[in-house]
């Protein structure tokens, strides 16, 4: 359950402002005339009270209102340089930001939902009681902006006016955070009041990096108050921890959809992209994948790229499935981004004319960024996320320090990318989505692509995403469950989220043509696991175009498929021309390896999921029904053909 506005808003408890008059008194006292003049545009009482309470709590020396004007954005850029949060690089418009070595990714163990007594939370999430969070905030956030300027920006998570767009306020003393927000989100200062009124809510985010020193990182917290849709973040700068418009507000949005928008909206960790099919038709995809499983690459394969991380989906009046990207920029992992796999992105990163904030990469003596897997000549020394670096440098535990951090990023506007469909991205009607994909990182079990035979089976594909476990997590199975690639962002019970998925995808509001095709994707099968004498991955990055291309044809009824217990599988003769079009040989023997059903592996996977979900309370019975049905059909196949079923036996 989720009850909005339940119990006290911590910001109000600490700031003690609960009226417009009180808010205005604080605002007038703390803002200079130029900023006061700007803020006078905002009339929303709740928003003004939030800002006033943040001022009382954080005690900044000055307050800057970011109206989104060119002058204001320029002020933020310069403030970041002055503070030393970013430094200029050789290329015009490029800067480098380093997060502390201990703050290179989401601080999962320091991230909590603020909950009320008795609330049921996801078994995968950490939570803290409201009273404890209040204690922390009183102790660490009061006065945290002394000596600093508080910046306040008003953004929209989506094109203004879109049914699933929600406005959000970003309050931070970090210019890097506001600068990133300006690249990644739509400043909606002019429309904030109207949008808050239309949607009936807005998100609030309060962050301060404090002194931004290593010693303080253990005290860093990322708190998300579900009831008040407000985040608090301290003593860190990594965007996933601080720019809470991204994953912080995504969590609120997931919550809101799960409990207040059932059968209307979903909030997903998905890319959105369009593929051009025969005759120039456009078919849009939305696809989920855990971090580091090829989500950005998949998104950019499309001819009409919309977004690489988040999607808000809804069923439109006409019965079609629609999607918007709540973001307008990319906070992309740069490792392994290179000319061969990501030509469009590389053009922005290595060409001219695009503003880029780099983070945690290596900067050479000429002020040029470098990263692992860029397939260029790499320098032997430079400055990276841990300070001075030279090839062969080892850390305190004697591990080699890589040239760039695995999670180093580039931040840029999506519209700079050649295949970005900017006009469509800004359309509040969203794009019509025909195909939903779920992918993970799976070395030995599922084929490269398969299509669910029903909405329920589609939901089961989402529920069953796995990624490879990291070194510290390898258990008996070697895989990590990643439900919908969205689990870290599901605040409430997983069962409630799953129920909402079943309800949404089975909705009668879909027209016959509006019902999406739901598919699984897996780029990570290896030769070793397919009885081949070869080594490594069976596929390459460029094959993604073929899998999406086939789904495009399938979703439009241009190709048929082979029925199997796990879903519909492509025919060789339909894939071959698609491989021809990317100038790649596609021997039948490779197809046979990729699409043979390894029954024992799949059954083992089903058993793993059945057992894990069995431990979770209230999981909808339909999920177990699907698992049971698939398992018995797979075992029947095994009986007939043996443990490895050749795809030709099915056709
Ligand atoms: O760290 S974040 O989750 O914000 C970035 C990402 O992986 O999308
Ligand atoms: Mn993500």
């Amino acid at each position: 359950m989720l009850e909005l506005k339940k119990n006290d808003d911590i910001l109000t408890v600490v700031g003690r402002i609960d009226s417009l008059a009180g808010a205005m008194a604080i605002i007038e006292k703390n803002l200079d005339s130029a900023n006061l003049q700007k803020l006078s545009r905002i009339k929303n009482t709740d928003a003004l009270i939030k800002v006033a309470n943040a001022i009382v709590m954080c005690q900044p020396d000055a307050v800057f209102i970011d109206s989104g004007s060119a002058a204001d954005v320029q002020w933020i850029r310069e403030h970041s340089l002055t503070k030393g949060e970013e430094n200029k690089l050789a290329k015009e418009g490029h800067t480098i930001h380093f997060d502390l070595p201990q703050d290179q990714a989401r601080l999962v163990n320091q991230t909590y939902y603020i909950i009320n007594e008795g609330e049921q939370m996801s078994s995968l999430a950490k939570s803290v009681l409201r009273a404890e969070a209040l204690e922390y905030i009183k102790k660490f956030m009061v006065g945290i902006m002394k000596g600093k300027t508080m910046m306040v920006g008003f953004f929209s998570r989506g094109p203004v006016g879109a049914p699933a767009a929600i406005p959000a306020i970003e309050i931070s003393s970090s210019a890097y955070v506001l600068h990133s927000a300006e690249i990644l989100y739509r400043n909606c200062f002019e429309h904030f009041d109207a949008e808050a009124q239309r949607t009936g809510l807005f998100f609030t985010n309060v962050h301060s990096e404090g002194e931004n020193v290593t010693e303080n990182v253990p005290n860093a917290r990322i708190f998300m108050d579900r009831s008040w849709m407000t985040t608090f973040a301290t003593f860190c700068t990594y965007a996933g921890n601080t720019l809470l418009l991204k994953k912080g507000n995504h969590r609120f949005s997931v919550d809101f959809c799960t409990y207040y928008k059932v059968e209307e909206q979903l909030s997903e960790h998905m890319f959105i992209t369009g593929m051009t099919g025969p005759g120039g038709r456009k078919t849009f995809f939305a696809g989920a994948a855990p971090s580091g499983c090829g989500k950005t690459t998949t998104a950019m394969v499309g001819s009409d790229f919309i977004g690489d991380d988040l999607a808000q989906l809804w069923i439109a009046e006409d019965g079609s499935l629609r999607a918007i990207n709540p973001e307008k920029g990319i906070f992309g992992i740069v490792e392994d981004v290179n000319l061969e796999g990501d030509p469009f992105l590389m053009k922005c990163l290595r060409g001219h004319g695009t503003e880029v904030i780099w983070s945690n990469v290596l900067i050479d003596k000429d002020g040029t960024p470098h990263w692992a897997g860029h397939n260029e000549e790499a320098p032997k020394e430079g400055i990276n996320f841990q300070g001075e670096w030279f090839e062969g440098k080892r850390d305190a535990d004697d591990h080699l320090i890589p040239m760039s951090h695995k999670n180093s990023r580039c931040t840029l506007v999506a519209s700079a990318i050649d295949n970005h469909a900017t006009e469509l991205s800004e359309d509040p009607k969203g794009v019509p989505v025909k195909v939903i994909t779920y992918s993970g990182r799976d070395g030995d079990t599922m084929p490269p692509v398969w299509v669910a035979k029903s909405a329920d089976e589609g939901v089961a594909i989402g529920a069953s995403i796995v990624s490879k476990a990291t070194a510290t997590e390898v258990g008996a199975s070697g895989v990590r469950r990643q439900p919908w690639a969205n689990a870290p962002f599901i605040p409430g019970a997983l069962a409630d989220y799953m129920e909402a998925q079943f309800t949404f995808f089975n909705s009668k509001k879909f027209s016959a043509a509006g019902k999406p095709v739901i598919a699984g994707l897996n780029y990570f099968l290896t030769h070793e696991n397919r009885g081949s004498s070869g080594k490594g991955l069976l596929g390459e990055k460029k094959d993604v175009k073929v899998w999406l291309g086939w789904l495009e044809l399938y979703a439009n009824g241009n190709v048929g498929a082979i029925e199997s217990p796990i879903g519909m599988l492509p025919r060789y003769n339909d894939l071959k021309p698609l491989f021809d079009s990317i100038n790649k040989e596609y021997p039948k023997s490779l197809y046979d390896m990729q699409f043979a059903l390894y029954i024992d592996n799949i059954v083992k996977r089903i058993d793993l999921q059945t057992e894990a979900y069995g431990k979770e309370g209230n999981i909808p019975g339909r999920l177990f029904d699907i698992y049971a049905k698939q398992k018995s059909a797979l075992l029947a196949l095994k009986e007939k053909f043996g443990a490895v079923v050749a795809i030709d036996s099915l056709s």
Side-chain angles (χ1 to χ4, degrees), residues 369-572:
H370 293 272
W371 60 96
H374 67 355
N375 289 359
E376 296 173 6
E377 206 178 313
K380 305 255 178 278
E381 59 193 24
I383 306 286
N384 76 2
F385 65 96
Q386 49 83 63
E388 292 225 23
W389 178 87
F390 50 85
E391 202 175 53
K393 187 173 180 182
R394 287 173 182 274
D395 65 15
D397 300 325
D398 208 32
H399 295 129
L400 273 178
I401 300 171
M403 173 164 74
S404 56
H405 193 274
K406 268 198 107 41
N407 194 32
S408 48
R409 302 270 176 162
C410 55
T411 302
L412 62 155
V413 291
S415 58
I417 294 169
D418 274 351
N419 59 336
H420 188 252
T422 306
E423 207 174 302
L424 276 175
S425 295
E426 294 308 317
D427 188 340
K429 291 196 292 299
V431 294
V433 171
K434 265 196 138 117
V435 185
I436 296 281
T437 66
Y438 296 104
S439 30
R441 187 180 277 268
D442 176 358
D444 62 10
T445 303
M446 298 306 273
V449 61
W450 71 104
V451 175
K453 290 184 275 183
S454 66
D456 280 358
E457 290 192 20
V459 174
I461 295 177
S464 311
I465 294 180
V466 297
S467 67
K468 219 172 90 180
T470 61
T472 53
E473 292 161 333
V474 180
S477 67
V479 299
R480 193 173 140 193
R481 296 172 56 244
Q482 301 264 17
W484 294 276
N486 209 13
F489 315 115
I490 301 171
L494 204 55
D496 295 342
Y497 175 90
M498 188 184 294
E499 187 69 50
Q501 297 279 327
F502 278 121
T503 307
F504 186 87
F505 285 112
N506 282 296
S507 176
K508 298 260 184 307
K509 294 184 195 169
F510 281 118
S511 65
K515 265 197 176 246
V517 161
I518 307 179
L521 288 171
N522 177 27
Y523 311 148
F524 297 96
L525 277 181
T526 63
H527 280 278
E528 291 84 344
N529 287 312
R530 281 294 180 267
S532 151
S533 56
K535 273 197 170 57
L537 293 180
L538 275 180
E540 301 175 271
K541 250 187 189 183
K542 65 178 178 189
D543 302 354
V544 173
K545 213 172 192 141
V546 170
W547 310 130
L548 298 189
W550 180 78
L551 284 168
E552 199 280 334
L553 295 171
Y554 183 83
N556 287 287
N558 298 137
V559 292
I562 301 164
E563 189 169 348
S564 86
I566 56 166
M568 307 303 288
L569 303 171
R571 295 200 175 99
Y572 176 71

Side-chain angles (χ1 to χ4, degrees), residues 199-494:
T199 58
L201 74 161
F202 60 83
F203 304 135
T204 307
N205 305 290
V206 188
H207 160 256
S208 182
E209 74 282 20
E211 294 157 87
N212 197 26
V213 290
T214 290
E215 299 84 274
N216 286 348
V217 178
N219 285 332
R221 289 292 179 277
I222 296 93
F223 282 145
M224 290 159 301
D225 188 342
R226 293 176 78 205
S227 304
W228 291 89
M229 296 198 161
T230 299
T231 72
F232 303 88
T234 50
F235 308 125
C236 50
T237 61
Y238 171 69
N241 295 319
T242 61
L243 181 59
L244 290 167
L245 270 156
K246 196 175 182 64
K247 292 304 182 350
N249 293 172
H250 173 58
R251 290 168 162 111
F252 294 153
S253 189
V254 169
D255 233 358
F256 188 60
C257 290
T258 303
Y259 297 104
Y260 286 82
K261 295 280 168 190
V262 174
E263 212 184 330
E264 288 175 44
Q265 292 183 17
L266 294 179
S267 183
E268 299 297 309
H269 192 206
M270 285 181 171
F271 68 79
I272 307 169
T273 203
M275 294 291 289
T276 302
R281 77 174 169 226
K282 307 279 186 200
T283 303
F284 285 91
F285 288 60
S291 284
C293 293
K295 187 150 56 78
T296 299
T297 302
T298 310
M300 293 205 190
V301 158
S303 53
D304 292 75
F305 162 55
I306 306 276
D308 77 329
D309 195 35
L310 300 171
Q312 300 286 130
L313 305 165
W314 73 96
I315 308 171
E317 295 282 316
D318 65 359
S320 63
L321 175 60
R322 296 268 155 178
I324 51 163
N325 177 9
E327 310 188 282
K328 71 166 175 71
I330 290 167
F331 177 61
I333 294 182
V334 285
E335 186 162 285
D336 290 334
V337 167
N338 52 54
L339 212 47
E340 206 223 310
D342 308 273
F344 295 135
L345 183 55
M346 279 301 274
K347 201 170 141 192
C348 296
L349 299 180
R350 284 301 191 221
H352 294 280
T354 306
E355 178 176 28
V356 181
I357 309 177
W358 296 86
S359 54
N360 308 322
V361 290
L362 181 88
I363 305 301
D364 71 14
K365 62 180 188 335
D366 303 320
T368 300
H370 293 272
W371 60 96
H374 67 355
N375 289 359
E376 296 173 6
E377 206 178 313
K380 305 255 178 278
E381 59 193 24
I383 306 286
N384 76 2
F385 65 96
Q386 49 83 63
E388 292 225 23
W389 178 87
F390 50 85
E391 202 175 53
K393 187 173 180 182
R394 287 173 182 274
D395 65 15
D397 300 325
D398 208 32
H399 295 129
L400 273 178
I401 300 171
M403 173 164 74
S404 56
H405 193 274
K406 268 198 107 41
N407 194 32
S408 48
R409 302 270 176 162
C410 55
T411 302
L412 62 155
V413 291
S415 58
I417 294 169
D418 274 351
N419 59 336
H420 188 252
T422 306
E423 207 174 302
L424 276 175
S425 295
E426 294 308 317
D427 188 340
K429 291 196 292 299
V431 294
V433 171
K434 265 196 138 117
V435 185
I436 296 281
T437 66
Y438 296 104
S439 30
R441 187 180 277 268
D442 176 358
D444 62 10
T445 303
M446 298 306 273
V449 61
W450 71 104
V451 175
K453 290 184 275 183
S454 66
D456 280 358
E457 290 192 20
V459 174
I461 295 177
S464 311
I465 294 180
V466 297
S467 67
K468 219 172 90 180
T470 61
T472 53
E473 292 161 333
V474 180
S477 67
V479 299
R480 193 173 140 193
R481 296 172 56 244
Q482 301 264 17
W484 294 276
N486 209 13
F489 315 115
I490 301 171
L494 204 55

